[in-house]
Amino acid sequence: MNDVPLMLYVVDDDEALRRSLHMLLFSQGLPVQTFESGESFLATVDHRKPGCVVLDLRMAGISGLSVLEELKLRHSPLVTLFLSGHGDIPTALEAVRLGAYDWIVKPDVEQLLKKLPGAIDEAYARMQALQRWSELTVREREVARLVSLGYSNKDIARQLIPPTGPRTVETHRSHIFDKLNLGNANELSRWLTSYSWLE
């Protein structure tokens, strides 16, 4: 899975910094695409593909936090690292609450390079989760969400439209665990919580 290249995006309205980060990250063997604004990033990038975003907080136009909020609304699997010279603790906490992977204060590029491998590993984990989830049928996804909430096979069978029997639900449950490589409903609940952006 890690043989598949992940795109790394840099979104910052500081042209000198964008160029510097592009050269630095490209020299690390990473495919990099840069954007001067949150608007151009959101309008251009396929938000459904896993990858990493190095995102500035304060930019002309919409802010980095607004970009992150939009990615969350779009159920995007993109992993976000904030890089900002204007960081403060409340803003950092808000970014993490919205799902940011981490926060680095400009111009600590060394810290960025230290934290980037973990963000890339997370992006690969999301890519794998997305692949596994896509292998489930629409009905299996529906059953998976109900199983994760603790409903019994009988309750799930009644809630499905059209209704079905508990044995059919048990078959779906078995397929779900096999395809997602999970052992039980508790693991499934934790898995879906970790990848809450899955649709």
Side-chain angles (χ1 to χ4, degrees):
M1 181 69 70
N2 285 30
D3 293 335
V4 180
L6 280 171
M7 183 60 75
L8 181 63
Y9 305 103
V10 175
V11 186
D12 199 307
D13 59 0
D14 183 331
E15 184 178 356
L17 183 64
R18 274 201 321 276
R19 287 182 178 178
S20 172
L21 286 177
H22 185 276
M23 288 188 291
L24 177 70
L25 298 171
F26 189 75
S27 72
Q28 304 288 313
L30 301 169
V32 186
Q33 191 173 359
T34 64
F35 297 88
E36 65 180 8
S37 71
E39 289 91 340
S40 62
F41 168 72
L42 290 170
T44 306
V45 169
D46 182 355
H47 65 275
R48 295 300 304 143
K49 289 186 178 178
C52 293
V53 187
V54 178
L55 184 61
D56 188 23
L57 174 65
R58 294 185 184 176
M59 297 179 284
I62 66 172
S63 70
L65 279 179
S66 295
V67 172
L68 183 60
E69 286 175 338
E70 183 60 31
L71 290 174
K72 191 178 174 85
L73 286 172
R74 296 182 184 188
H75 300 281
S76 175
L78 286 165
V79 176
T80 305
L81 277 166
F82 270 102
L83 181 66
S84 177
H86 305 282
D88 55 33
I89 297 300
T91 309
L93 290 173
E94 176 66 6
V96 171
R97 185 190 69 78
L98 288 170
Y101 178 80
D102 215 329
W103 181 280
I104 299 120
V105 177
K106 285 179 182 176
D108 196 342
V109 175
E110 184 178 330
Q111 193 67 14
L112 173 63
L113 290 177
K114 282 183 182 177
K115 294 188 175 185
L116 195 56
I120 290 171
D121 286 346
E122 173 62 22
Y124 276 117
R126 293 183 185 189
M127 180 185 285
Q128 187 176 61
L130 191 59
Q131 175 61 37
R132 288 180 179 174
W133 188 247
S134 70
E135 291 172 3
L136 268 59
T137 65
V138 173
R139 177 50 64 100
E140 285 170 350
R141 291 179 199 175
E142 191 179 359
V143 170
R145 294 200 183 280
L146 293 169
V147 169
S148 74
L149 295 173
Y151 288 108
S152 69
N153 290 348
K154 191 177 289 187
D155 288 337
I156 293 171
R158 283 196 295 264
Q159 289 187 50
L160 293 174
I161 301 172
T164 187
R167 278 194 167 185
T168 302
V169 173
E170 182 58 40
T171 301
H172 286 317
R173 183 190 289 253
S174 177
H175 289 165
I176 290 162
F177 291 155
D178 285 346
K179 290 178 181 179
L180 299 182
N181 195 26
L182 299 172
N184 55 51
N186 288 334
E187 286 184 16
L188 175 61
S189 180
R190 288 194 298 271
W191 192 86
L192 284 173
T193 299
S194 297
Y195 302 117
S196 59
W197 44 266
L198 287 167
E199 294 183 284

